[in-house]
Coordinates of all heavy atoms in Angstrom, one line a residue:
L1 N 52.6 102.1 75.3 CA 53.5 103.2 75.8 C 53.4 104.4 74.8 O 53.3 105.6 75.3 CB 54.9 102.8 76.0 CG 55.2 101.7 77.1 CD1 56.6 101.2 77.0 CD2 54.9 102.3 78.5
K2 N 53.4 104.0 73.5 CA 53.2 105.1 72.5 C 52.0 105.8 72.7 O 52.0 107.1 72.7 CB 53.4 104.5 71.1 CG 53.3 105.5 70.0 CD 53.4 104.8 68.7 CE 53.3 105.8 67.5 NZ 53.4 105.1 66.2
I3 N 50.9 105.1 72.8 CA 49.6 105.8 72.9 C 49.5 106.6 74.2 O 49.0 107.7 74.2 CB 48.4 104.7 72.9 CG1 48.4 104.1 71.6 CG2 47.1 105.3 73.2 CD1 47.5 102.8 71.4
L4 N 50.0 106.1 75.3 CA 50.0 106.7 76.5 C 50.8 108.0 76.5 O 50.5 109.1 77.1 CB 50.5 105.8 77.7 CG 50.3 106.2 79.1 CD1 48.8 106.5 79.4 CD2 51.0 105.1 80.1
T5 N 52.0 108.0 75.9 CA 52.8 109.2 75.7 C 52.2 110.2 74.9 O 52.2 111.4 75.2 CB 54.2 108.8 75.1 OG1 54.8 107.7 75.9 CG2 55.1 110.0 75.1
E6 N 51.5 109.8 73.8 CA 50.8 110.7 72.9 C 49.7 111.5 73.8 O 49.4 112.7 73.6 CB 50.1 110.0 71.8 CG 51.1 109.5 70.7 CD 50.5 108.7 69.7 OE1 49.4 108.1 69.9 OE2 51.2 108.4 68.7
K7 N 49.0 110.7 74.6 CA 48.0 111.3 75.5 C 48.6 112.3 76.4 O 48.0 113.4 76.6 CB 47.2 110.2 76.2 CG 46.1 110.7 77.1 CD 45.4 109.4 77.7 CE 44.2 109.8 78.6 NZ 44.6 110.5 79.8
R8 N 49.7 112.0 77.0 CA 50.3 112.9 77.9 C 50.8 114.2 77.2 O 50.8 115.3 77.8 CB 51.5 112.3 78.7 CG 51.1 111.2 79.6 CD 50.5 111.7 80.9 NE 50.1 110.6 81.8 CZ 50.8 110.3 82.8 NH1 52.0 110.9 83.1 NH2 50.4 109.3 83.6
I9 N 51.3 114.1 76.0 CA 51.8 115.2 75.3 C 50.6 116.1 75.0 O 50.7 117.4 75.1 CB 52.4 114.8 73.9 CG1 53.8 114.0 74.2 CG2 52.7 116.0 73.0 CD1 54.4 113.5 73.0
T10 N 49.4 115.6 74.7 CA 48.3 116.4 74.5 C 47.8 117.1 75.7 O 47.4 118.3 75.7 CB 47.1 115.5 73.9 OG1 47.5 114.9 72.8 CG2 45.9 116.3 73.6
E11 N 47.9 116.3 76.9 CA 47.5 117.0 78.1 C 48.5 117.9 78.7 O 48.1 118.9 79.4 CB 47.2 115.8 79.1 CG 46.1 114.9 78.9 CD 46.1 113.6 79.7 OE1 47.1 113.4 80.4 OE2 45.1 112.9 79.7
Q12 N 49.7 117.7 78.4 CA 50.8 118.6 79.0 C 51.8 119.1 77.8 O 52.9 118.7 77.8 CB 51.6 117.8 80.0 CG 50.8 117.2 81.2 CD 51.7 116.4 82.1 OE1 52.1 115.3 81.8 NE2 51.9 116.9 83.3
P13 N 51.2 119.9 76.9 CA 52.0 120.3 75.8 C 53.3 121.1 76.1 O 54.1 121.2 75.3 CB 51.0 121.1 74.9 CG 50.0 121.6 76.0 CD 49.9 120.5 77.0
T14 N 53.4 121.7 77.3 CA 54.5 122.5 77.7 C 55.6 121.7 78.3 O 56.7 122.2 78.5 CB 54.1 123.6 78.6 OG1 53.5 123.0 79.8 CG2 53.0 124.5 78.0
V15 N 55.3 120.4 78.5 CA 56.5 119.5 79.1 C 57.3 119.1 78.0 O 56.9 118.1 77.2 CB 55.8 118.4 79.9 CG1 56.9 117.5 80.5 CG2 54.9 118.9 81.0
Q16 N 58.4 119.7 77.7 CA 59.2 119.4 76.6 C 59.8 118.0 76.5 O 60.0 117.4 75.4 CB 60.4 120.5 76.6 CG 59.9 121.9 76.4 CD 61.0 122.9 76.6 OE1 62.0 122.6 77.1 NE2 60.7 124.1 76.0
R17 N 60.1 117.4 77.7 CA 60.8 116.1 77.7 C 59.9 115.0 77.1 O 60.4 114.1 76.5 CB 61.1 115.7 79.1 CG 62.0 114.5 79.2 CD 62.2 113.8 80.5 NE 62.0 114.7 81.6 CZ 63.0 115.2 82.4 NH1 64.3 115.0 82.0 NH2 62.8 116.0 83.4
L18 N 58.6 115.2 77.2 CA 57.6 114.2 76.7 C 57.8 114.1 75.1 O 57.9 112.9 74.6 CB 56.2 114.5 77.0 CG 55.9 114.4 78.6 CD1 54.5 115.0 78.8 CD2 56.0 113.0 79.0
Q19 N 57.8 115.2 74.4 CA 58.0 115.2 73.0 C 59.4 114.7 72.6 O 59.5 113.9 71.6 CB 57.8 116.5 72.4 CG 57.8 116.6 70.9 CD 56.6 115.8 70.3 OE1 55.5 116.0 70.6 NE2 57.0 114.9 69.4
M20 N 60.4 115.0 73.3 CA 61.7 114.6 73.0 C 61.8 113.1 73.2 O 62.4 112.3 72.4 CB 62.8 115.3 74.0 CG 62.9 116.8 73.7 SD 63.9 117.6 75.0 CE 63.5 119.3 74.6
M21 N 61.2 112.6 74.3 CA 61.1 111.1 74.5 C 60.4 110.4 73.4 O 60.9 109.3 73.0 CB 60.5 110.8 75.9 CG 60.4 109.3 76.2 SD 59.7 109.0 77.8 CE 58.0 109.5 77.5
Y22 N 59.3 111.0 73.1 CA 58.5 110.4 72.0 C 59.3 110.2 70.7 O 59.2 109.2 70.0 CB 57.2 111.2 71.7 CG 56.2 110.6 70.7 CD1 55.3 109.7 71.1 CD2 56.3 110.9 69.4 CE1 54.4 109.1 70.2 CE2 55.4 110.4 68.5 CZ 54.5 109.4 68.9 OH 53.6 108.8 68.0
D23 N 59.9 111.3 70.3 CA 60.7 111.3 69.1 C 61.8 110.3 69.1 O 62.1 109.5 68.2 CB 61.3 112.6 68.8 CG 60.3 113.7 68.4 OD1 59.2 113.3 68.0 OD2 60.5 114.9 68.6
Y24 N 62.5 110.2 70.3 CA 63.6 109.3 70.5 C 63.1 107.8 70.5 O 63.8 106.9 69.9 CB 64.3 109.6 71.9 CG 65.5 108.7 72.1 CD1 66.7 109.1 71.6 CD2 65.5 107.5 72.9 CE1 67.9 108.4 71.9 CE2 66.5 106.7 73.1 CZ 67.8 107.2 72.7 OH 68.9 106.4 72.8
L25 N 62.1 107.4 71.1 CA 61.6 106.1 71.3 C 60.7 105.6 70.1 O 60.8 104.5 69.6 CB 60.9 105.9 72.6 CG 61.7 106.1 73.9 CD1 60.7 105.9 75.1 CD2 62.8 105.1 73.9
F26 N 59.8 106.5 69.7 CA 58.8 106.1 68.8 C 58.9 106.8 67.4 O 58.0 106.8 66.6 CB 57.4 106.4 69.3 CG 57.2 105.8 70.7 CD1 57.2 106.6 71.8 CD2 57.1 104.5 70.9 CE1 57.0 106.2 73.1 CE2 56.9 104.0 72.1 CZ 56.9 104.8 73.3
G27 N 60.1 107.5 67.1 CA 60.2 108.1 65.8 C 60.6 107.1 64.7 O 60.2 106.0 64.8
A28 N 61.4 107.6 63.8 CA 61.7 106.8 62.6 C 62.6 105.6 63.0 O 62.8 104.7 62.2 CB 62.4 107.6 61.6
G29 N 63.2 105.6 64.1 CA 64.1 104.5 64.5 C 65.5 104.8 64.1 O 65.8 105.9 63.6
V30 N 66.4 103.9 64.4 CA 67.8 104.0 64.1 C 68.1 103.9 62.6 O 67.7 102.8 62.1 CB 68.7 103.0 64.9 CG1 70.2 103.2 64.6 CG2 68.4 103.2 66.4
R31 N 68.7 104.8 62.0 CA 69.0 104.7 60.6 C 70.3 105.4 60.3 O 70.6 106.4 61.0 CB 67.9 105.3 59.6 CG 67.7 106.7 59.8 CD 66.6 107.2 58.8 NE 66.4 108.6 58.9 CZ 67.0 109.6 58.3 NH1 68.1 109.2 57.6 NH2 66.7 110.8 58.4
K32 N 71.1 105.0 59.4 CA 72.3 105.6 59.1 C 72.1 106.7 58.1 O 71.7 106.5 57.0 CB 73.3 104.6 58.5 CG 74.7 105.0 58.3 CD 75.7 104.0 57.8 CE 77.0 104.4 57.6 NZ 77.9 103.3 57.2
P33 N 72.4 108.0 58.5 CA 72.3 109.1 57.6 C 73.4 109.1 56.6 O 74.4 108.5 56.7 CB 72.2 110.3 58.5 CG 73.2 109.8 59.6 CD 72.9 108.4 59.8
D34 N 73.2 109.9 55.6 CA 74.3 110.2 54.6 C 75.3 111.1 55.3 O 75.1 112.3 55.4 CB 73.7 110.9 53.4 CG 74.8 111.1 52.3 OD1 76.0 110.7 52.5 OD2 74.6 111.8 51.3
L35 N 76.4 110.6 55.6 CA 77.4 111.3 56.4 C 78.4 112.2 55.5 O 79.1 113.0 56.0 CB 78.3 110.4 57.3 CG 77.6 109.5 58.3 CD1 78.6 108.6 59.0 CD2 76.7 110.3 59.3
Q36 N 78.3 111.9 54.2 CA 79.4 112.4 53.3 C 79.6 113.9 53.5 O 80.7 114.5 53.7 CB 79.0 112.1 51.9 CG 80.1 112.6 50.9 CD 81.3 111.8 50.9 OE1 81.3 110.6 50.8 NE2 82.5 112.4 51.2
K37 N 78.4 114.7 53.5 CA 78.5 116.1 53.6 C 78.9 116.7 54.9 O 79.4 117.8 55.0 CB 77.2 116.7 53.1 CG 76.9 116.5 51.7 CD 75.6 117.1 51.2 CE 75.4 116.9 49.7 NZ 74.2 117.5 49.2
L38 N 78.9 115.9 56.0 CA 79.3 116.3 57.3 C 80.9 116.4 57.3 O 81.5 117.2 58.0 CB 79.0 115.4 58.4 CG 77.5 115.4 58.9 CD1 77.3 114.4 59.9 CD2 77.2 116.8 59.5

C-alpha cells in the first residue's frame, strides 16, 4: 500500500488527500510530543 500510494502521488501530485493520507498512515507513526510548551 505504501509503494502504491507513493506511485499515485507521483502520478497525481495535485491530489492533496493522497499526501495527507501517506503522512497519516506511513509517516513517523504515533508518538507523544513534548506537550509542556503548549
